[in-house]
Amino acid sequence: MRKIGYARVSTSAQDTALQLDALKAAGVENVFFESSSGVGPRIELRRAISSLCAGDVLVVWKLDRVARGLSDLLSILSSVKAAGACIRSLTEPIDTTTPLGEFTVQILGAVAQLERSMIRERVVAGQIAARARGKTWGQRPHLTPDREEELIALFVQGGYTVKSVGAVFGVGESVAKRVIAARFPPSLFSRPGRPRKTSV
């Protein structure tokens, strides 16, 4: 079983001695180290995970050195597990080489799922409340119902194409066609003549 270490500091001014000394004391054979912020690319972390073989252990000083958040941590844990390896934090109860460590990871996964469910519930509840206040989503209607009736009546009278009747009401051809099609079969647009006025 190999112990592969990973260490990270956010800036070049930070001291790496604490992490490196702790990793060495834990029997780590090889350390992948990088100096980058938590939001930057983590090239050495990817290299460390890619180097893992079945039975290896990825050792870190603290989880915030390897993960940006809970979802990121679970993704990293999944990658480590897919390689047949384990992960161990020297300062936290995360050690997937033990049953307790595996159980802790399962709890983290359940917490993440609960968090996602709660977010979805808040979004849905917010949308329902907004609809109750009269808020709508999507494109606003181009014409009021009364103006739509006037557009349809003008089209039925004849002498206007869909495009021209739309221009009279200040809307595009697609809007005018949608208003008319809501009342009459779309096939009428490709036939001579107009719908009878009695249909309005």
Side-chain angles (χ1 to χ4, degrees):
M1 177 183 69
R2 297 186 307 161
K3 293 183 179 180
I4 307 298
Y6 173 76
R8 181 183 64 82
V9 293
S10 299
T11 67
S12 59
Q14 290 183 321
D15 189 5
T16 62
L18 180 62
Q19 293 183 58
L20 297 178
D21 288 347
L23 292 172
K24 183 178 180 181
V28 171
E29 303 168 5
N30 185 27
V31 177
F32 290 83
F33 165 79
E34 60 192 344
S35 175
S36 67
S37 66
V39 297
R42 295 168 295 178
I43 299 174
E44 292 302 313
L45 175 59
R46 291 198 297 269
R47 288 184 58 201
I49 294 176
S50 297
S51 71
L52 294 173
C53 298
D56 289 347
V57 180
L58 178 64
V59 184
V60 298
W61 179 64
K62 198 173 183 181
L63 291 179
D64 66 3
R65 297 298 87 197
V66 71
R68 294 167 173 160
L70 180 54
S71 60
D72 187 35
L73 174 61
L74 293 175
S75 176
I76 291 171
L77 290 174
S78 178
S79 297
V80 172
K81 186 175 182 179
C86 299
I87 188 169
R88 177 189 174 196
S89 169
L90 298 179
T91 60
E92 295 149 324
I94 297 292
D95 183 355
T96 58
T97 63
T98 67
L100 179 60
E102 282 285 359
F103 178 66
T104 303
V105 170
Q106 292 175 5
I107 292 177
L108 291 175
V111 170
Q113 180 61 43
L114 176 62
E115 183 181 36
R116 288 192 292 269
S117 298
M118 292 176 65
I119 290 174
R120 284 196 297 270
E121 289 182 3
R122 287 197 295 268
V123 170
V124 171
Q127 290 175 341
I128 293 174
R131 290 193 183 97
R133 295 193 302 268
K135 181 176 176 60
T136 58
W137 287 265
Q139 192 175 37
R140 292 183 178 180
H142 292 77
L143 296 171
T144 64
D146 288 342
R147 294 288 282 173
E148 289 183 357
E149 291 296 332
E150 293 173 3
L151 184 149
I152 292 172
L154 181 61
F155 180 75
V156 169
Q157 290 175 4
Y160 288 91
T161 63
V162 175
K163 183 176 182 180
S164 61
V165 77
V168 172
F169 287 84
V171 296
E173 181 180 5
S174 61
V175 174
K177 188 172 183 178
R178 183 171 65 249
V179 171
I180 297 169
R183 184 71 59 83
F184 302 107
S187 59
L188 291 179
F189 298 130
S190 61
R191 297 176 181 176
R194 293 286 185 269
R196 291 179 297 174
K197 190 173 181 177
T198 54
S199 300
V200 179

